[in-house]
Amino acid sequence: MMARLMIACAWLFLTAAAAPPKTDDRAVVIASKAFTESVIVSELARLSLREAGQQVVHRQALGGTRIVFGALKRGEIDAYPDYTGTLRFEIYAAAKATDPAALERLLAQNGIAMTNPLGFNNSYGLAMQADVAKAKNITRISDLVGRMDLRFGLSNEFLDRGDGWPALKAAYGLAQKADGLQHDLSYRGLADGRLEVIDVYTTDAEIAFYDLKVLEDDRGFFPAYEAVFLYRADLAQSHPQAVEALQSLAGRILAQHMRQMNKRVKIDRQPETAVAADFLSKETGQTVVGEGNAGLLGRIWQRSVEHMRLVALSLTMALVLAVPLAIVAFRKPHLGGAILGFVGILQTVPALALFVFMIPLLGIGAAPTIAALFLYSLLPIVRNGHAGLAGIPADLQESAQALGLPPMARLWRIELPLALPTLLAGIKTAAVINVGAATLGALIGAGGYGQPILTGIRLDDMGLILEGAVPAALLALLVTGLFDLVERWLTPRGLRL
């Protein structure tokens, strides 16, 4: 009976999660951080490399600065765009690099090189609605001192950066508290009147669209944030034409170009690839064509395969470990409390934190996501398996012993079949939890339904959010239905829940 359970669960999931096609080892991997400008600039790089005859892959919106820079150091990606101010005051804050040469030496120690500046400076700033700033007579950041009536909403990364809110507060003597939120949502909060001060990137298209006043940095706190490409130093040997293509963009993307491209994507809702291709066509005088996006059904199918693979592999791994753990917890009561306590503690770790904890061990992408989902699956399966075994009536257990059945035969023929309804309920719970939690994998490059959800949040596009949320909900319902069918097939009629 238990063998049929294992076979059935593996078949239900693994047939849907066929192995993905492997990425060509020769392809250059470009990444971008989780905001629109970074995605656009990385698309400029991808198309430039493609035009130079290189095979190239773009891992979009991979995460924040630390995640993407760490992936570059580990060699999981080959290049991505960043800013000199971020490198000086966030990545290498302790080294106090004061000039480009010092910065290049620090990068070289990590096997990383840097292109010349791309041509635009995208610094931080604080902004308010222009009419609100005028009414309150606020034009400079120093005018915010003592204004405890103002509501601040700052991006999560800015709240914790070495060149962000903590240092800015100290430099200006600001005492206000700030709420953290996703950067792209702060503009909506400002427009709705729920916020009055937010942080902005100075090339953001929303500054003009929402008629914002960027407050003067009258104490010169914010440094220059010149855009550059960081790339693996060994890329110059393995793919010299790729490095030449990245360097060819230096000095060609001016601030007005970047603001216009940001506007076309975020305000006019044009695809990043098309916007990047148009810019390169104008710059080179040659027609650069961006690939067309797959249709809605094609995108949903691609994300469904990615998502089911994450759920299937993590749940199968959990079954292999959790069922034996449940048996040990039942057979060895002195170990049962420790086992149940351990898997219970795993469940208390916040999901996002668990995903990020896995990055130093497994890198980015599907592997850390599967590992985190595997750990989250253990509790419902172990707990329900143990409860099912412990709930077998004492007289049935005594009858099995009286028949002289050896322990393994008693387990497979008597105990596990009787515990099966409760165990199946735990497996079903774990599967449904994994369907929802797997959407967080998109934050670290695992794809799945979380990818359109994150893109929709970034672009303030409800259609994209629903493109991920609705299939995820339907998959959870499908998983529930499938396990109900498995339960009817495997469970003796008199023992069904």
Side-chain angles (χ1 to χ4, degrees):
M1 186 68 68
M2 197 61 194
R4 292 174 67 189
L5 170 63
M6 292 294 205
I7 294 170
C9 291
W11 181 83
L12 284 171
F13 284 98
L14 296 178
T15 52
K22 292 184 179 179
T23 301
D24 194 319
D25 290 338
R26 296 171 296 172
V28 177
V29 181
I30 304 288
S32 53
K33 294 198 278 188
F35 60 96
T36 298
E37 180 169 288
S38 185
V39 175
I40 296 171
V41 175
S42 292
E43 275 298 281
L44 290 170
R46 185 184 69 82
L47 293 175
S48 297
L49 266 66
R50 190 197 67 183
E51 292 299 302
Q54 301 294 296
Q55 296 185 54
V56 58
V57 176
H58 179 190
R59 302 189 71 170
Q60 291 193 18
L62 191 56
T65 297
R66 293 286 181 177
I67 290 176
V68 184
F69 186 79
L72 184 66
K73 284 176 61 178
R74 293 188 298 270
E76 295 175 296
I77 62 174
D78 295 306
Y80 82 98
D82 215 323
Y83 305 90
T84 55
T86 299
L87 296 171
R88 289 176 58 200
F89 297 99
E90 175 67 8
I91 300 296
Y92 296 114
K96 301 186 183 301
T98 57
D99 58 79
L103 198 55
E104 289 178 348
R105 287 194 296 271
L106 290 169
L107 289 167
Q109 294 173 10
N110 294 126
I112 298 171
M114 179 175 70
T115 65
N116 294 324
L118 302 182
F120 69 95
N121 171 39
N122 186 10
S123 184
Y124 274 110
L126 295 184
M128 303 176 64
Q129 290 276 18
D131 56 344
V132 174
K134 183 176 181 180
K136 295 181 179 292
N137 195 30
I138 296 175
T139 60
R140 305 171 300 173
I141 295 179
S142 58
D143 293 334
L144 298 173
V145 176
R147 299 301 302 266
M148 306 304 293
D149 57 313
L150 298 175
R151 290 163 293 179
F152 284 62
L154 306 177
S155 61
N156 292 309
E157 184 166 349
F158 184 75
L159 278 174
D160 298 321
R161 289 172 61 107
D163 54 345
W165 180 237
L168 181 66
K169 285 176 66 176
Y172 277 92
L174 302 175
Q176 292 91 342
K177 293 183 179 181
D179 295 324
L181 71 166
Q182 210 271 346
H183 178 70
D184 299 286
L185 297 179
S186 62
Y187 288 102
R188 185 185 297 179
L190 200 65
D192 293 344
R194 293 193 293 269
L195 299 173
E196 289 164 307
V197 182
I198 65 171
D199 64 302
V200 297
Y201 304 127
T202 53
T203 55
D204 280 352
E206 292 90 342
I207 293 174
F209 182 78
Y210 287 107
D211 189 25
L212 304 186
K213 166 68 176 177
V214 179
L215 304 183
E216 178 190 348
D217 181 14
D218 49 311
R219 297 186 182 176
F221 171 79
F222 292 114
Y225 287 78
E226 293 182 292
V228 295
F229 279 109
L230 302 182
Y231 61 91
R232 295 285 305 172
D234 55 13
L235 193 66
Q237 286 74 46
S238 62
H239 296 79
Q241 290 179 306
V243 174
E244 290 177 9
L246 293 176
Q247 289 284 11
S248 72
L249 293 170
R252 295 171 61 185
I253 310 172
L254 304 182
Q256 59 265 32
H257 296 148
M258 200 66 248
R259 278 193 289 269
Q260 181 61 24
M261 286 190 282
N262 284 333
K263 175 183 179 297
R264 289 181 61 186
V265 173
K266 298 199 70 177
I267 308 301
D268 301 336
R269 304 293 176 86
Q270 298 179 25
E272 293 98 340
T273 302
V275 171
D278 286 350
F279 175 81
L280 291 176
S281 296
K282 293 175 183 177
E283 282 292 302
T284 63
Q286 300 177 351
T287 301
V288 178
V289 179
E291 302 87 345
N293 289 329
L296 176 62
L297 292 180
R299 294 196 303 271
I300 291 177
W301 173 252
Q302 176 188 350
R303 298 306 179 194
S304 296
V305 171
E306 293 170 349
H307 206 88
M308 286 189 287
R309 184 180 305 117
L310 297 174
V311 175
L313 294 177
S314 60
L315 189 64
T316 302
M317 291 167 55
L319 275 173
V320 171
L321 179 61
V323 173
L325 283 178
I327 294 170
V328 171
F330 167 65
R331 286 285 180 87
K332 308 287 185 181
H334 62 285
L335 296 176
I339 292 173
L340 293 172
F342 175 72
V343 295
I345 289 173
L346 290 176
Q347 198 77 15
T348 65
V349 179
L352 184 56
L354 189 58
F355 278 65
V356 175
F357 288 160
M358 293 296 162
I359 294 177
L361 299 174
L362 300 171
I364 56 174
T369 301
I370 291 170
L373 294 175
F374 156 74
L375 293 176
Y376 260 151
S377 299
L378 293 177
L379 176 62
I381 299 175
V382 173
R383 182 181 58 194
N384 277 45
H386 177 267
L389 291 168
I392 297 173
D395 55 343
L396 290 179
Q397 295 187 41
E398 291 170 0
S399 298
Q401 292 176 359
L403 291 173
L405 293 175
M408 286 302 296
R410 192 165 70 245
L411 176 69
W412 284 95
R413 296 183 182 182
I414 306 295
E415 294 170 345
L416 284 178
L418 291 173
L420 191 56
T422 306
L423 176 60
L424 276 174
I427 298 171
K428 178 166 63 176
T429 299
V432 173
I433 289 174
N434 277 10
V435 170
T439 57
L440 294 174
L443 291 167
I444 53 176
Y449 294 138
Q451 193 64 54
I453 293 174
L454 292 179
T455 303
I457 293 173
R458 175 167 58 82
L459 299 177
D460 193 16
D461 188 331
M462 185 58 67
L464 281 174
I465 294 173
L466 293 176
E467 188 177 310
V470 171
L474 292 176
L475 180 60
L477 292 175
L478 177 62
V479 166
T480 301
L482 287 175
F483 271 98
D484 287 341
L485 292 176
V486 171
E487 181 185 341
R488 292 191 182 96
W489 175 48
L490 293 176
T491 306
R493 184 171 302 173
L495 297 175
R496 290 178 187 165
L497 293 178

